[in-house]
Amino acid sequence: MGALPHWPYPRWIAHRGAGYLAPENTLAAFRLGAQHGFRMFECDAKLSADGVPFLMHDATLERTTNGKGTGGDLPWSALAQLDAGGWHSRAYAGEPLPTLENLARWCIANGFLLNIEIKPTPGVEEKTGRVVGEHAARLWQGQAVPPLFSSFKPEALAGARAAAPHIPRALLIDALWDGCLDHARSLGCAAIVCNHALWDAALVAQVKGWGLRALSYTVNDDWAAQRLIALGTDGIITDRVDLFSPAV
């Protein structure tokens, strides 16, 4: 096995900011994750109807906002009015949806790193990857460490590669499918991000033998984290910013 390329990202990554303790994908969640010592964060980015990248996991608005319908069908001017915190607890009522630019400026100002999961509304995968890539290239221009793109959708990663080939990419995998690792290599990926249960010694060796990094989601139990550390994986995405010390 040859030496792996330089990897500037830390092992511990806070999922959607601080996924359980604050409303996911809001600036309040990222601030809380930072208060627990995390210096890299994962977020979900999709497009408004008028092409603004904003943070939200689901295609629909109901679970994490007071809106209704498909988020990508609304212009940013309407999305910006929604309450993205009241569903979590009264303490966060009125918390707005952030744009990717909001989060980027906060991360850059504080020296934090970011994994941007490109989470397209169905039907606009390539466009979402391309627009997110264009925005990230502009926002992180001149920064020492770029964000890390990831997506379950190869078309989104292809769009990101076309717009920002210098920003590293990772294929997200929930279940191994025929040719998935070859597909990651064909997209020029720097990493694979697997459901943590998929990793074993053979898969870690195969992925690293191809010069790729091995990351896991979403790890919320100590036994699972210890298993992944023992396997020699490179990154752990967690909701439990209160359980794990990112200094380890």
Side-chain angles (χ1 to χ4, degrees), residues 19-232:
Y20 284 163
L21 302 183
E24 63 184 59
N25 283 312
T26 65
L27 287 177
F30 296 101
R31 292 190 185 102
L32 187 58
Q35 289 171 19
H36 281 82
F38 281 73
R39 61 187 186 90
M40 185 167 179
F41 303 91
E42 184 265 1
C43 72
D44 300 291
K46 50 177 30 76
L47 299 183
S48 66
D50 48 348
V52 176
F54 71 100
L55 306 191
M56 195 172 71
H57 177 274
D58 297 8
T60 53
L61 294 164
E62 283 82 353
R63 182 176 68 87
T64 57
T65 79
N66 63 341
K68 296 185 183 301
T70 300
D73 289 345
L74 296 179
W76 175 246
S77 59
L79 293 166
Q81 305 304 312
L82 297 177
D83 176 356
W87 67 273
H88 181 276
S89 57
R90 282 192 285 181
Y92 292 108
E95 188 70 24
L97 288 169
T99 63
L100 178 61
E101 182 160 354
N102 294 149
L103 180 58
R105 296 196 181 283
W106 178 80
C107 286
I108 291 167
N110 290 283
F112 297 139
L113 303 177
L114 190 63
N115 167 202
I116 303 170
E117 181 182 342
I118 304 169
K119 199 80 174 177
T121 302
V124 290
E125 288 81 5
E126 189 279 336
K127 179 183 178 182
T128 303
R130 179 166 38 84
V131 174
V132 168
E134 291 167 352
H135 278 71
R138 172 178 58 85
L139 292 164
W140 273 270
Q141 184 175 9
Q143 297 300 310
V145 181
L148 172 67
F149 290 141
S150 63
S151 187
F152 288 100
K153 302 296 184 181
E155 305 92 334
L157 291 175
R161 178 177 59 178
H166 63 291
I167 296 180
R169 295 168 298 283
L171 181 64
L172 277 157
I173 299 174
D174 187 50
L176 294 172
W177 41 275
D178 286 345
C180 59
L181 301 184
D182 289 323
H183 213 92
R185 290 206 296 174
S186 74
L187 287 164
C189 287
I192 301 288
V193 186
C194 278
N195 180 320
H196 70 89
L198 297 178
W199 290 116
D200 59 24
L203 184 58
V204 171
Q206 182 180 9
V207 166
K208 292 201 170 193
W210 284 356
L212 304 176
R213 297 288 179 162
L215 285 75
S216 301
Y217 74 91
T218 302
V219 181
N220 293 329
D221 297 295
D222 185 64
W223 66 265
Q226 294 306 318
R227 188 183 81 88
L228 295 165
I229 291 169
L231 284 172

